[in-house]
Amino acid sequence: MAAGIVSPVRNCPSMMTGSALLVVAVLSVMMAAGGASALQSGFYASSCPQAEDTIYSTLQQLHANDPDLPPVLLRLHFHDCFVRGCDGSVLLQGSGTERTAPPNARLEGFAAIDAAKAAVDKLCPGVVSCADILAFAARDSVKMVGGPGWTVPAGRRDGTVSLASEASSNLPGAQMDVNQLTANFAKQGLTRDDMVILSGAHTIGEAACVHIDNRIYDYPSASGVDPLLPKDFAAKLKKKCSTRGLTDRKFDLDSGTSAVFDAQYYSNLAKRTGLLTSDQVLYEDARTRPLVMESSNKANFFPKFTQAMVKMSQISVLEGAQGQIRQRCGYVNA
Ligand code: HEM
């Protein structure tokens, strides 16, 4: 990460003109967004030419026996990038690491990343970072379930620090409104539009019932049910999530097509069948509704999603001599 170039200047504001300050401010935002990272497409073309194909085929084989793998891996990359940047810190094991934080309680997919790492390390030991594997895996996952493919700029290095407290303070919550979500994404250098588009990842996968208690049991209305929910949909939710606090029962994030990466997530929002509060608010808020409507068309959504993923995947990356290439993704090298 080139943030080191920026910070010494930032420390001496008295030496700078107004325009220099502006340049630094713009650069800082770009760094936070990863806009100025030096990641490269085809980074492993000479050091490990088979890396991307090997990761893809390993994950594809695992997917054959585990249909839930793509959403799990897409979410894993997001949870990595929002905490200390896309540095593989979400993978580190041990007490007090990100994995132990409440928002990461039900993260999965670690074994699949380990399998992909083992497969590439067999070909090119110690070359491909775990952080890059996460970014490739997110792209591959989307592709495997009918979504668009894209080129993943690579060259990320693995971090050595992972703190539960940082996961808790940086990951967005399912009950957030548009202001809160926008502020949460802005901390990562992402815009409100990026937030709306990246939320489209909820076109695949499921959420544990506990995340909708606030909509079907605890809403501040006489019935305790969010009045936005269509009656038949609320009944379905209550049937599946038959009591508060269930973590072992799940409901599809994108009712109807949650196994396929399509644009139906957005049309569902217009029908008020978004699952989480943080999904439905995107339609209810006049500032985000236009992009929701536009994105219900795949032709609009897919290119925007790929761009936003490339942007997210460059948040505060470690590069060059920073960090390390972990030998095992769950552990810092001895
Ligand atoms: C906008 C703010 C977001 C919030 C509040 C949010 C919240 C959540 C929650 C609560 C779940 C269910 C987890 C569980 O059951 O424990 C979930 C699942 C998921 N999230 Fe998000 N998320 C957000 C953005 C994103 C982004 C940006 C991505 C990826 C780019 C993403 C990808 C996923 C996927 C794929 C799943 C399904 C996982 C599975 O089936 O195992 N989410 N999200």
Side-chain angles (χ1 to χ4, degrees):
M1 177 173 68
I5 301 167
V6 176
S7 24
V9 184
R10 246 201 236 135
N11 290 339
C12 329
S14 58
M15 290 164 58
M16 288 190 287
T17 64
S19 57
L21 269 171
L22 183 69
V23 169
V24 170
V26 170
L27 268 177
S28 307
V29 172
M30 285 174 65
M31 297 298 178
S37 85
L39 298 183
Q40 292 165 24
S41 311
F43 181 81
Y44 296 109
S46 54
S47 60
C48 193
Q50 296 304 315
E52 292 193 42
D53 287 349
T54 304
I55 292 166
Y56 189 82
S57 60
T58 305
L59 298 178
Q60 208 177 22
Q61 279 164 32
L62 294 172
H63 180 218
N65 294 320
D66 179 3
D68 294 338
L69 190 61
V72 155
L73 293 177
L74 178 55
R75 182 167 180 241
L76 199 52
H77 180 48
F78 159 53
H79 280 221
D80 185 34
C81 293
F82 265 50
V83 186
R84 253 178 205 271
C86 313
D87 67 342
S89 54
V90 73
L91 303 172
L92 287 173
Q93 297 196 38
S95 67
T97 59
E98 291 170 30
R99 281 171 73 158
T100 67
N104 285 336
R106 278 169 297 283
L107 275 190
E108 295 171 61
F110 300 101
I113 298 298
D114 286 346
K117 169 74 170 167
V120 282
D121 269 12
K122 229 183 202 174
L123 297 174
C124 334
V127 170
V128 183
S129 70
C130 300
D132 274 347
I133 293 174
L134 279 172
F136 292 135
R139 182 267 319 269
D140 294 349
S141 296
V142 169
K143 213 171 156 201
M144 271 178 225
V145 287
W150 63 91
T151 302
V152 175
R156 294 166 193 77
R157 307 263 302 173
D158 296 322
T160 54
V161 177
S162 177
L163 300 169
S165 57
E166 292 184 346
S168 297
S169 58
N170 285 295
L171 291 165
Q175 299 191 26
M176 285 184 171
D177 63 21
V178 168
N179 284 340
Q180 293 167 319
L181 291 167
T182 305
N184 177 276
F185 275 61
K187 263 170 64 180
Q188 308 293 344
L190 298 172
T191 65
R192 190 171 65 202
D193 283 0
D194 293 330
M195 182 272 289
V196 173
I197 294 298
L198 288 168
S199 295
H202 288 178
T203 179
I204 52 172
E206 312 166 309
C209 285
V210 67
H211 295 296
I212 53 167
D213 284 353
N214 71 310
R215 302 197 72 198
I216 56 172
Y217 292 116
D218 298 328
Y219 195 86
S221 65
S223 64
V225 177
D226 185 341
L228 277 178
L229 289 168
K231 283 206 165 51
D232 55 338
F233 187 59
K236 267 192 208 161
L237 294 175
K238 276 200 158 181
K239 192 167 176 213
K240 182 76 172 253
C241 304
S242 52
T243 179
R244 282 187 183 80
L246 294 177
T247 52
D248 55 345
R249 285 203 207 161
K250 296 180 173 185
F251 207 91
D252 289 346
L253 281 160
D254 177 18
S255 283
T257 65
S258 78
V260 180
F261 197 98
D262 55 17
Q264 191 173 308
Y265 165 81
Y266 295 104
S267 1
N268 282 348
L269 297 185
K271 287 187 253 157
R272 284 6 203 284
T273 57
L275 189 66
L276 308 175
T277 298
S278 59
D279 295 319
Q280 195 57 52
V281 292
L282 304 180
Y283 180 76
E284 305 309 325
D285 192 301
R287 293 167 297 176
T288 44
R289 184 181 284 194
L291 188 53
V292 166
M293 303 294 284
E294 201 185 297
S295 305
S296 62
N297 180 342
K298 249 182 5 182
N300 296 329
F301 171 49
F302 280 11
K304 287 205 165 93
F305 185 76
T306 63
Q307 274 171 24
M309 283 298 291
V310 169
K311 190 170 170 188
M312 182 183 87
S313 78
Q314 297 187 68
I315 294 172
S316 301
V317 290
L318 300 176
E319 292 171 314
Q322 297 173 319
Q324 55 183 218
I325 303 296
R326 271 183 227 143
Q327 284 159 355
R328 289 191 299 161
C329 290
Y331 302 91
V332 169
N333 295 344

